[in-house]
Amino acid sequence: QVQLMESGGGSVQPGGSLRLSCAVSGYKTSRNYMGWFRQAPGEEREGVAAIYTIGRNTFYADSVKGRFTISQDASRDTLYLQMNSLKPEDTAMYYCAAGTWALVGLDTPLARRYFDYWGQGTQVTVSS
């Protein structure tokens, strides 16, 4: 079992920044692929960024490339998402997820099917 707990969400003006954190506990060595997803009201949950925790390969959705950065601390106990130059369309509930690298297809690295543990989410609102 892996437990995930997000924090760091909030309200920010366009152009602002936020850093999301995800505390990882439990048998985390069984899950070596971590990601951030988001879901806006009435929309499908979409992958935002992911990281292979061993090799540190990273993947980003086109909509956030150059603005968001996924990272982890050295102990792999915490996953981060640094979000800069935020836009109103970034408004959503953000979820941390854990999965298995061996299942990942590199043509679709942000697909939901690679992740089987999820946090409860943290709300991000970008508005003036």
Side-chain angles (χ1 to χ4, degrees):
Q1 291 287 334
V2 177
Q3 291 81 44
L4 306 171
M5 179 66 73
E6 304 94 337
S7 61
S11 295
V12 64
Q13 292 187 339
S17 298
L18 282 174
R19 188 175 80 156
L20 305 183
S21 299
C22 173
V24 184
S25 60
Y27 189 45
K28 58 182 181 290
T29 56
S30 69
R31 294 297 182 268
N32 54 13
Y33 192 51
M34 301 294 296
W36 287 97
F37 285 71
R38 67 186 181 187
Q39 188 168 18
E43 302 289 331
E44 294 286 322
R45 190 172 296 189
E46 64 171 352
V48 173
I51 184 168
Y52 171 40
T53 62
I54 308 299
R56 305 210 173 218
N57 310 62
T58 57
F59 306 92
Y60 295 93
D62 288 342
S63 58
V64 307
K65 278 181 183 175
R67 300 189 298 123
F68 290 11
T69 303
I70 188 171
S71 64
Q72 58 182 350
D73 67 353
S75 65
R76 292 190 282 153
D77 288 336
T78 308
L79 181 73
Y80 301 101
L81 185 68
Q82 178 67 44
M83 305 186 295
N84 298 328
S85 302
L86 282 162
K87 305 175 181 180
E89 51 263 42
D90 294 318
T91 295
M93 185 72 78
Y94 282 71
Y95 299 90
C96 175
T100 304
W101 173 251
L103 301 177
V104 174
L106 293 181
D107 55 340
T108 56
L110 298 178
R112 287 183 62 177
R113 62 182 177 271
Y114 306 133
F115 299 89
D116 52 357
Y117 289 97
W118 297 85
Q120 295 299 305
T122 185
Q123 178 68 37
V124 172
T125 302
V126 184
S127 173
S128 56

